[in-house]
């Protein structure tokens, strides 16, 4: 991946041959901006870039602005600058490599802007009397010189050429040439006034061009700038050193964040488990946080989607996720790709932004405060020189920064308000900054960053399909460095079968970390796997600490040989110190001090070397520690730190110290892991202590979280007194039903074991029924079906909220059983049934009362026809489908269908099949091509009363409504269309409504 995909500033300048020879600038691989007078009345022009000449179509031209937009049939980039297309492993099918369009800026000062540059192909630069050559000119933009005429004036630093006696200009051919401040396009040259002795050039500002609706529409329609028209930046001064530094910064980010460790692969690999991030990256699902009442306003929007899709239209996101769910991997992946400009169409708006990664754990380890703007580039300790003075502030001011704050939960609880103040102040000062902040689920309160414009997303556990994809990727990576390919394929087949047959094993593998642990242990044990989370961690440590060097036939590296328990005892001392201090990174000196104390009780280890040598051994051989930055170390994953710290708390008889931290959410993982280390005598103390801590706090989310934590600790006990079990069940029942999303998430961790504790549905109010339905749906599975059925029976005479809650999580249940036992009982007259999986669509006939359905995802035409057969739908939405090419597959529900919505269906080529829907009264089209042919089909719907077009794609930048004149009772609502783009609007009168 080369940083900043696409050509340099000079590589974007092209030769344009229209009515006369001029210059132009590549805005994207296929679009060229030049002057209208260069093109003349023609509708095409030849464009030449080194080694490539193409005949381009003129799609937009404005003589008054003196600007024109041309489109080439193929990319005009020089071959060396064309990015490699294709999708990295683990990305969705429709993802494509993206190319960053040119940056565009408006001058935002009255003062001259020096250090600006024009590049073009003037006549004076021709050699051998006729051959074209490029030229380059430096000068200043004078903002006040053309203010009244809305012209941008460029003044050359020195005379660019001598005036000629015959009246011809030596600068002919410069028309259309780009004017840059740094890497940002300010405009194009339109004329050289003779009265100024060739010392000035008059230019068309890019701000005027991009404000033209026609230009904007055609630019978006060309489609080779997936992020659409670039955001217009503000320029007050040119900084020639900035572009070069940004290239170096992008390379440094790539070097730092394009590699990651995949657990278990270091057992096989000669690369020490370092893998390209695209190989290791798995696109995970996330869900928007519901509103304060626990409901999403639009059922289709509440459906879980890939996190990259959700990030696309959310400028600021607080991402919650459990340990091992891939939060940090996502941060790294975004940083590397955004800087390089290689994010696909979904996130193309981030391409070319400058990522500032702020790993809060590193700040804690360094004892540093929260960074000022100037310190942001240095927080990640990239291998790069210091930036030019003021560079970070300029990036933030221009709105090109992508702030990636990782690990908010790793800031001590008492310091989080300071973190909030820092982040709020930074974003208030630079309001156009995009931001992603990661945190564990309960570390901060709901809506903690709502005032700063953040939306919350929750990373979801991996689905069965994700587990299968991760398993395949893990074994594919393993085969890269192992000769036993057939043996690994057999192991992969066996593990896939075990996942299919064992729900308990699948539940253990719901995070990328634990799935990788299972893959590694399965290979090591040749198919035999532990059955609980604690056994999984113990086995992983045994594999790393006990078998690693044996398998590699390494004896006494660094002159040190340690047993598994000796390794653990030493690592425990470091881990417990980190947990007590609320941090996860440490320096060499601080680790040596802890090891010195530990070695006083381990003479057999101390005899082999001092603390420094032992630390070197642990860093090189344990597989659990890694150097994050120069002189800064951390555990390979936070979970192993917490597991070893929990072991030290229990073995050191510090259980009561651990319980004192029970009210603090950041300690909950350690408390849970401690349960696996407790003896039969200690476990009741831990569980009773958690219950007591829950009783001591006010009712609400924190009490529920503590009771749920106590129940989790009790779940996997080999033996636990019946009276303790009873206390746990009583406590959990006390906080049922949940009242908030957070309480529901805490209780859902208990899985099916919480279901028998649910209160009788007959005694619950409407809101309580809905909360219980959400909880049961989150747990899902076959065990939850009878409980969902009871809720359906209890609310059989109601519609709305309860029906929505019971339909929303259909994908979490066995599809046929749930359709027959639950959905068939519901009054669905006012509920949209959201379908996201083929298994659901094929069972739609089992839900005879369904009247409104939203089909979200890539269903084929055959699947649609089969699934809709026999349905009695009145309302149908087809959303985010890139597979269907027309609407003929909707014919099975034509008889009763009254409302249809079609949106964001990238494969849709036309509306063929629409006329089959003769009963249609309401049609909404979002991001759909609306040509006269499509409008003729719409006009053929005899009962249509309302047509809504949202951001339609328009041929030739025009919406020709003439075909609808024959429909006197049809109301048309338009969103995202300017009045000037609409032909035939006068005859429609007040039946045509332009929405904001």
């Amino acid at each position: 991946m080369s940083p900043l995909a696409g050509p340099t500033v000079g590589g974007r300048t092209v030769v344009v041959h229209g009515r006369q020879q001029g210059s132009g600038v590549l805005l994207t691989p296929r679009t060229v901006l030049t002057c209208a007078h260069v093109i003349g009345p023609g509708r095409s022009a030849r464009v030449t870039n080194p080694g490539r000449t193409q005949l381009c179509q003129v799609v937009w031209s404005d003589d008054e602005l003196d600007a024109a937009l041309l489109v080439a049939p193929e990319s005009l980039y020089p071959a060396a600058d064309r990015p490699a297309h294709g999708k990295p492993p683990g990305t969705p099918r429709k993802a494509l490599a993206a190319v960053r369009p040119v940056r565009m800026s408006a001058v935002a000062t009255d003062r001259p802007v020096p250090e600006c540059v024009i590049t073009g192909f003037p006549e004076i630069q021709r050699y051998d009397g006729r051959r074209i050559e490029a030229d380059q000119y430096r000068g200043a933009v004078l903002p006040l010189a053309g203010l009244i005429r809305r012209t941008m004036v460029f003044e050359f630093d020195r005379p660019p050429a001598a005036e000629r006696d015959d009246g011809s200009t030596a600068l002919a051919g410069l028309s259309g040439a780009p004017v840059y401040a740094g890497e940002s396009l300010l405009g194009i040259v339109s004329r050289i006034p003779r009265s100024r002795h060739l010392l000035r050039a008059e230019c068309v500002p890019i701000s005027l061009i991009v404000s033209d609706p026609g230009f904007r529409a055609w630019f978006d329609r060309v489609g080779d700038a997936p992020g659409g028209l670039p955001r217009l930046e503000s320029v007050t001064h040119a900084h020639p050193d900035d572009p070069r530094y940004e290239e170096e910064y992008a390379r440094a980010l790539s070097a730092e964040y394009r590699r990651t460790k995949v657990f278990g692969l270091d057992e096989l690999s000669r690369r020490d488990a370092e893998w390209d991030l695209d190989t290791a990256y798995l696109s995970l699902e996330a869900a928007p946080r519901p509103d304060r009442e626990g409901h999403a306003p639009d059922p289709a929007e509440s459906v879980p989607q890939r996190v990259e899709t959700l990030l696309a239209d959310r400028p600021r996101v607080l991402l919650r996720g459990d340990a091992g769910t891939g939060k940090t991997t996502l941060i790294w992946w975004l940083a590397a790709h955004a800087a390089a400009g290689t994010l696909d169409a979904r996130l193309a708006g981030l391409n070319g932004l400058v990522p500032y990664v702020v790993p809060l754990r590193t700040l804690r380890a360094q004892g540093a405060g929260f960074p000022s703007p100037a310190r942001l580039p240095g927080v990640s300790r990239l291998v790069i020189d210091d930036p030019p003075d003021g560079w970070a502030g300029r990036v933030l001011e221009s709105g090109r920064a992508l702030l990636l704050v990782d690990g908010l939960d790793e800031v001590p609880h008492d310091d989080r308000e300071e973190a909030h103040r820092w982040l709020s102040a930074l974003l208030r000062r630079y309001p156009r900054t995009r931001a992603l902040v990661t945190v564990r689920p309960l570390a901060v309160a709901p809506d903690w960053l709502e005032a700063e414009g953040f939306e919350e997303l929750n990373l979801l556990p991996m689905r069965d399909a994700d587990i299968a994809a991760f398993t395949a990727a893990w074994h594919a990576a393993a085969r890269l460095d192992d000769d036993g390919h057939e043996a690994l394929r057999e192991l992969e087949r066996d593990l896939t079968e075990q996942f299919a047959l064992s729900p308990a094993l699948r539940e253990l593998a719901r995070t990328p970390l634990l799935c990788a642990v299972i893959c590694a242990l399965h290979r090591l044990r040749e198919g035999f796997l532990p059955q609980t989370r604690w056994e999984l961690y113990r086995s992983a440590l045994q594999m790393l600490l006990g078998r690693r060097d044996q398998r590699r036939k390494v004896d006494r590296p660094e002159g040190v040989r340690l047993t598994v328990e000796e390794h653990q005892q030493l690592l425990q001392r470091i881990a417990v110190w980190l947990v007590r201090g609320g941090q996860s990174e440490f320096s060499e000196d601080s680790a040596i001090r802890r090891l010195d104390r530990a070695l006083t009780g381990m003479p057999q280890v101390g005899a082999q070397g001092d603390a420094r040598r032992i630390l070197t051994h642990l860093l090189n051989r344990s597989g659990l520690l890694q150097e994050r930055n120069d002189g800064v170390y951390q555990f390979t994953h936070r979970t192993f730190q917490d597991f070893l710290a929990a072991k030290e708390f229990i073995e050191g008889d510090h259980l009561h110290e651990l319980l004192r931290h029970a009210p603090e959410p950041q300690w909950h993982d350690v408390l849970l892991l401690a349960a696996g280390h407790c003896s039969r005598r200690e476990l009741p103390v831990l569980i009773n202590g958690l219950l007591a801590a829950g009783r001591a706090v006010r009712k609400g989310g924190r009490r529920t979280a503590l009771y749920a934590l106590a129940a989790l600790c009790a779940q996997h006990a080999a033996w636990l007194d019946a009276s303790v079990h009873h206390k746990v069940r009583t406590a959990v029942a006390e906080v049922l039903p949940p009242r908030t999303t957070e309480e529901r998430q805490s209780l859902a961790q208990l899985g099916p074991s919480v279901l028998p504790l649910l209160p009788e549905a007959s005694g619950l109010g409407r809101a309580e029924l809905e909360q219980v339905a959400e909880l049961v749906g989150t747990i899902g599975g076959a065990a939850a079906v009878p409980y969902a059925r009871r809720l359906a029976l209890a609310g059989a005479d109601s519609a709305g909220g309860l029906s929505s809650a019971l339909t929303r999580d259909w994908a979490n249940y066995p599809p046929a059983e749930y359709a027959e036992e639950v959905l068939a009982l519901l009054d669905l007259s006012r509920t949209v049934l959201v379908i996201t999986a083929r298994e659901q669509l094929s069972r739609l006939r089992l839900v005879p009362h369904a009247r409104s359905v939203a089909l979200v995802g890539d269903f084929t035409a055959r699947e649609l026809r089969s699934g809709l057969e026999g349905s009695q739908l009145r309302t149908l939405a087809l959303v985010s489908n890139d597979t269907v090419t027309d609407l003929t597959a909707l014919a099975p529900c034509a008889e009763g269908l009254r409302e249809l919505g079609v949106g964001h269906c990238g494969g849709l080529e036309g509306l063929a099949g629409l006329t089959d829907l003769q009963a249609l009264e309401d049609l909404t089209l979002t991001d759909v091509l609306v040509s006269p042919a499509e409008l003729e089909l719409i006009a053929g719907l005899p009962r249509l009363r309302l047509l809504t077009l949202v951001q339609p794609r328009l041929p030739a930048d025009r919406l020709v409504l003439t075909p609808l004149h024959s429909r006197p009772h049809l109301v048309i609502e338009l969103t995202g269309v300017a009045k000037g783009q609409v032909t035939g609007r006068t005859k429609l009168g007040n039946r045509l409504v332009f929405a904001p």
Side-chain angles (χ1 to χ4, degrees), residues 43 184 237 277 280 310 321 475 482 522 532 611 645 730 765 861 951:
R43 300 310 300 167
S184 206
H237 196 282
L277 191 55
L310 291 169
H475 286 85
D482 192 280
H522 178 263
T532 70
T730 301
Q951 300 291 339

Side-chain angles (χ1 to χ4, degrees), residues 859-867 881 883-886 888-890:
F859 299 102
T860 66
R862 176 179 294 181
E863 290 165 346
L864 289 171
R865 287 193 195 94
S866 175
N881 189 317
T883 301
V884 295
T885 57
D886 56 39
T888 56
L890 307 185

Side-chain angles (χ1 to χ4, degrees), residues 937-953:
L937 293 176
I938 293 171
L941 297 172
R943 299 176 62 179
L944 192 67
R945 293 293 178 266
L946 176 62
L947 171 65
T948 304
L949 303 178
V950 181
Q951 300 291 339
R953 288 184 275 124

Side-chain angles (χ1 to χ4, degrees), residues 654-663 671 685-690 693:
H654 298 303
L655 180 55
H656 290 288
E657 177 192 348
L658 195 55
L659 284 169
R660 284 199 297 272
H661 293 282
L671 283 155
V685 177
L686 174 62
I687 294 172
N688 283 321
L690 291 171

Side-chain angles (χ1 to χ4, degrees), residues 213 295 337 357 663 981:
H295 304 298
H337 280 285
V357 181
Q981 295 176 271

